[in-house]
Amino acid sequence: MKEEELLPFYNVPVNTYYELGRAKVKLKDILHWNEGSVIKLDRLSGEYIDVFIENQIFARGEVIIVDEKFSIRLSQILTPEEIMEYNIE
């Protein structure tokens, strides 16, 4: 599709989210959470985070700070094959 064919869609809002990591937690542990509780995630410090568009993984990136705000620097745009592999896991 040519870029000019996409012009009518440029202002269509899409939902995006950025997943830092996941954790499986037992309900009994959740009931003991309070302010200051620490939840260990499945990712190591420095690992890429996942970037989703409309609930579909799209890319991976790293968390950076820009103008005192958290931001994402895209490091990898996934291929269709990598997207399918992610959905199988």
Side-chain angles (χ1 to χ4, degrees):
M1 190 173 257
K2 296 179 183 176
E3 187 170 343
E4 57 270 7
E5 293 175 306
L6 294 173
L7 283 174
F9 302 101
Y10 274 17
N11 289 320
V12 173
V14 294
N15 293 314
T16 63
Y17 71 93
Y18 313 90
E19 186 174 280
L20 185 59
R22 294 181 182 204
K24 270 197 173 176
V25 182
K26 295 180 180 171
L27 180 58
K28 69 177 184 172
D29 295 329
I30 293 171
L31 295 173
H32 290 99
W33 284 356
N34 53 43
E35 290 182 24
S37 293
V38 175
I39 304 157
K40 291 183 183 178
L41 302 176
D42 62 351
R43 300 258 172 109
L44 297 174
S45 175
E47 274 191 74
Y48 290 143
I49 64 166
D50 294 331
V51 176
F52 291 82
I53 298 176
E54 293 295 341
N55 295 321
Q56 177 65 58
I57 191 164
F58 174 75
R60 291 202 169 94
E62 59 183 313
V63 177
I64 61 172
I65 305 294
V66 176
D67 297 329
E68 298 183 24
K69 294 185 179 181
F70 288 112
S71 303
I72 309 296
R73 176 183 291 134
L74 296 181
S75 305
Q76 176 188 19
I77 305 295
L78 298 180
T79 65
E81 294 79 17
E82 290 169 322
I83 289 170
M84 289 299 295
E85 183 178 313
Y86 182 92
N87 289 330
I88 291 171
E89 294 174 356

